[in-house]
Amino acid sequence: MTNRILGAVAALGFSATLATGAWAQECGDVSIAEMDWASAELMANVDAIILEEGYGCDVSLIPGATQTTFASMSEKAEPDVAPELWINAVRDLLNVAKDEGSLVALNEGPITGLGEGWWVTPAFAAEHPELDTVEKLLEHPELFPYQEDESKGAFVGCPAGWGCQLVNANLFRAFDMEEKGWVLVDPGSAAGLDGSMAKAADRGEPWFGYYWSPTSMIGKYDMVMLPFEAEFAGRENWDGCIALAEQDCMDPQPTAWTVSEVETVVTDDFMEKGGVAADYFKARVFPGDVMNQMLVFMNENQATGEDAAFEFLVSHEDVWTQWVSDDVAQKVKDAL
C-alpha cells in the first residue's frame, strides 16, 4: 500500500492490516502510473484505493508522463498500468508494441466524452440553436466581434509553442476563415486562453475558440463543443499537413478534428498476473461529465489526486459501484 494512501486510510481509522491480509494473496503487486495531469492523478488514486481496499492488491503509484511512462512500459515493463494514455502522442510506437504483444489496451474508453475541438459558451449555444455546427457558425463572424477591429470575428486559438497552435492555424486556412472575416487570436499563454473563456462566460458574452476535455474549465463553464459538418479527411491530411508547421502544409483540407483516443494500457506481464485487477480495469469507465466535475473540485479546492479520489468515491458511488461486484463495493465503502 502506498504511503500516501496509508496515511489517508489511517486518518479515517481504517486498519491497514485488514487491507493487506489474506486478500493480497489473491491479487498481488500492481504498479500504476500516476501521470502528471489532474484527471490522470485522480484515476490512478481511485484505482489504487479500489484495488487495495476491494481486492487486497498491494499497489504502488509511479510518477510519470505520457512519453516517459510509455517508454518505461515498452522497455522495462514498468509500471504495470497506464490508466489514461493519450495514444495520439505515441500511436505508431504503441501499435508496434501491441503487434509484438508487449503492451495491451485493456480498456479502449476509460473516459467518455473527451476530445479537442472548437467550443462556444452555453449562453451563445442557447441563444443561437440554429448555429449548431462549425460550418454554420463560420458564416457569422459578426457575432464574435474582435476587440481590435469589430468588423472582424475573433477565433481564439492556442498559445504559440503548443501543438494545437499549428492545428488551429492550418484549420483556419483550410476553412478560409480569413476570407470569411475572421481573425485568429493568439491568447499568449494558457492563462490567457483560460482568462478569455472565463471572462466571456462570466459576462454572458459570446466566445468561440479552441479547448479540450476533460478539464476544469469545460466542467466549470459547461462549454459546448460544436461538431464539424466535414468528415475527417484522413490521417495523411491530418498528420502530414494539419499537424505540421504552415510551411510544411501548403494545401490543408477541411476536416473534422481527429478523434482523441485514450486507453488504459497494461504490460503483457500484467496480463499474465493481473487476475482480478485486470478484470477491474476492463470495467472501469469514468463518465466525462463526472470527470469534469471532479476536475472543477480539484481546481477550486487545490485537491491532490488522492483527495479527489476519496471525494469521488464518496460522491459518485452510483458510478464506481457499477465497476465491481457487490461484495467488493462493500469492502471499499467500509474503508471510506
Side-chain angles (χ1 to χ4, degrees):
M1 180 177 285
T2 63
N3 291 334
R4 296 194 313 152
I5 293 175
L6 268 173
V9 172
L12 293 167
F14 183 74
S15 168
T17 302
L18 178 62
T20 56
W23 301 338
Q25 298 174 10
E26 301 173 5
C27 180
D29 299 332
V30 181
S31 56
I32 301 175
E34 185 181 17
M35 291 186 276
D36 57 355
W37 60 90
S39 58
E41 293 172 2
L42 168 63
M43 291 179 70
N45 280 276
V46 168
D47 292 341
I49 294 169
I50 289 178
L51 290 176
E52 289 184 331
E53 311 306 346
Y55 295 97
C57 306
D58 189 1
V59 178
S60 56
L61 295 182
I62 311 297
T66 301
Q67 298 291 348
T68 54
T69 294
F70 175 77
S72 180
M73 291 178 71
S74 297
E75 298 168 10
K76 303 177 183 176
E78 298 175 347
D80 295 314
V81 184
E84 185 189 341
L85 187 67
W86 288 71
I87 67 172
N88 282 344
V90 293
R91 181 183 296 277
D92 291 344
L93 292 173
L94 177 60
N95 285 338
V96 171
K98 287 178 178 177
D99 290 342
E100 294 174 345
S102 59
L103 295 179
V104 176
L106 204 53
N107 187 324
E108 296 183 347
I111 307 173
T112 65
L114 50 77
E116 300 171 85
W118 292 355
W119 306 70
V120 295
T121 55
F124 178 86
E127 188 175 353
H128 295 281
E130 75 282 7
L131 303 181
D132 57 357
T133 68
V134 166
E135 283 84 347
K136 291 176 184 175
L137 189 144
L138 293 184
E139 299 302 320
H140 295 279
E142 76 280 3
L143 298 177
F144 300 86
Y146 178 43
Q147 195 171 33
E148 298 182 15
D149 180 357
E150 293 193 352
S151 69
K152 305 288 186 181
F155 171 76
V156 184
C158 287
W162 289 19
C164 53
Q165 183 207 23
L166 306 179
V167 171
N168 283 306
N170 287 323
L171 289 178
F172 189 86
R173 291 191 297 130
F175 284 98
D176 298 322
M177 289 177 65
E178 184 173 359
E179 289 76 7
K180 290 175 175 152
W182 292 90
V183 173
L184 176 56
V185 178
D186 182 344
S189 65
L193 177 60
D194 289 359
S196 70
M197 179 193 293
K199 179 180 176 182
D202 287 338
R203 295 180 177 182
E205 297 174 349
W207 186 92
F208 178 41
Y210 165 87
Y211 218 83
W212 69 98
S213 179
T215 53
S216 62
M217 291 294 290
I218 296 300
K220 179 176 182 178
Y221 293 108
D222 199 22
M223 298 293 287
V224 178
M225 184 163 65
L226 293 178
F228 289 81
E229 294 178 24
E231 300 285 338
F232 180 65
R235 301 228 64 85
E236 183 177 351
N237 177 60
W238 189 273
D239 297 329
C241 189
I242 297 293
L244 303 180
E246 183 174 345
Q247 63 269 22
D248 298 321
C249 181
M250 300 308 295
D251 187 25
Q253 298 301 304
T255 178
W257 202 282
T258 187
V259 175
S260 297
E261 297 176 75
V262 170
E263 295 179 350
T264 295
V265 174
V266 303
T267 63
D268 57 343
D269 182 53
F270 179 77
M271 289 300 293
E272 295 179 3
K273 71 177 185 180
V276 293
D279 292 337
Y280 160 76
F281 283 114
K282 291 178 184 175
R284 185 263 284 118
V285 176
F286 287 79
D289 59 339
V290 172
M291 179 61 82
N292 280 328
Q293 291 174 31
M294 291 309 307
L295 297 179
V296 173
F297 170 84
M298 294 177 74
N299 179 264
E300 293 184 344
N301 295 281
Q302 296 298 299
T304 65
E306 183 180 3
D307 296 334
F310 279 102
E311 173 66 20
F312 169 80
L313 292 169
V314 170
S315 303
H316 296 285
E317 187 177 294
D318 58 319
V319 174
W320 66 266
T321 53
Q322 298 180 40
W323 308 338
V324 299
S325 63
D326 291 345
D327 64 318
V328 169
Q330 190 58 54
K331 292 173 185 174
V332 176
K333 285 188 277 189
D334 288 346
L336 299 177

